[in-house]
């Protein structure tokens, strides 16, 4: 008997008032097969890519376990970083938080299907199981450049400079600034959840620590690396 496959349904809602369109929301709902099993993998096992930066584990159903990093920056559902001893991955749910309130340092088990969004390795969660709290987060790894290996890990760039201090707008809920780190440039997101928000822009050369990410609009997914400071 052939195994049942995942099915995806795209739902679009349009709100109108007279001739005016007030809002459009598109959500992809993953309908998981009833016979789906979740083998437990280390995160590094689902992060392999080809030479175009495309994951080789897309559509793999699994359970990943690790420590929560960051906060929930998608209140309609879930979005946070999960890090184990081998690597990290983005966790996302479009419309459901599964009863879990995100807190950095929690130990959780996430079940779902591996995918990729703008180059960012992601597990699209359908179950989140809380295991405990108060666990240490990953110590920052000092790096010389941003690449696939810095994605969803806590990394530190030692010497960076703001490209344009006028980009430091302190506009909620977040704003993005571009910095030069010698080997290239990286976009840094200053979120209102951090104590950096509302401060004056750092001038001269400074160090920055945060969670690595990626926002590349098209293959090959080898560019568009980002950094999200937590404080």
């Amino acid at each position: 008997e052939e195994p049942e496959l995942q099915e995806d349904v795209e739902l679009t809602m349009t709100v109108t008032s007279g001739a005016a369109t007030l809002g459009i929301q598109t959500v992809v709902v993953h309908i998981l097969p009833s016979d789906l099993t979740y083998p437990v993998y280390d995160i590094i096992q689902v992060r392999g890519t080809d030479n175009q930066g495309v994951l080789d584990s897309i559509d793999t159903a699994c359970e990943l376990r690790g420590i929560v990093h960051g906060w929930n920056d998608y209140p309609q559902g879930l979005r946070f970083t999960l890090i184990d001893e081998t690597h990290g991955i983005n966790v996302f749910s479009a419309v459901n938080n599964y009863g879990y309130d995100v807190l950095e340092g929690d130990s959780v088990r996430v079940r779902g299907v591996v995918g990729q969004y703008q180059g960012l390795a992601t597990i699209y969660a359908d179950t989140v199981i809380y295991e405990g709290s108060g666990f240490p987060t990953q110590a920052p790894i000092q790096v010389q450049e941003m690449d696939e290996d810095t994605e969803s890990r806590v990394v530190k760039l030692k010497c960076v400079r703001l490209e344009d201090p006028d980009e430091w707008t302190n506009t909620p809920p977040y704003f993005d600034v571009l910095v030069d780190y010698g080997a290239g440039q990286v976009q840094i997101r200053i979120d209102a959840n951090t104590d950096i928000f509302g401060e004056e822009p750092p001038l001269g050369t400074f160090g920055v620590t945060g969670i690595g990410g990626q926002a590349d609009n098209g293959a090959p997914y080898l560019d568009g690396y980002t950094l999200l400071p937590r404080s």
Side-chain angles (χ1 to χ4, degrees), residues 149-168:
D149 199 46
T150 61
E151 190 182 292
S152 295
R153 303 178 94 175
V154 181
V155 296
K156 179 178 182 179
L157 292 169
K158 189 174 182 181
C159 297
V160 306
R161 283 179 174 269
L162 283 179
E163 284 290 303
D164 181 4
D166 288 340
E167 290 184 337
W168 194 282

Side-chain angles (χ1 to χ4, degrees), residues 88-106:
I89 196 168
N90 181 57
V91 177
F92 181 73
S93 169
V95 294
N96 198 332
N97 68 2
Y98 303 106
Y100 174 60
D101 292 326
V102 176
L103 182 63
E104 189 164 68
D106 283 353

Side-chain angles (χ1 to χ4, degrees), residues 162 164-170 175 177 190 195-204 206:
L162 283 179
D164 181 4
D166 288 340
E167 290 184 337
W168 194 282
T169 61
N170 286 318
F175 61 93
V177 295
I190 308 299
D195 55 6
I196 311 168
F197 194 91
E199 296 293 321
E200 293 297 313
L203 302 179
F206 58 96

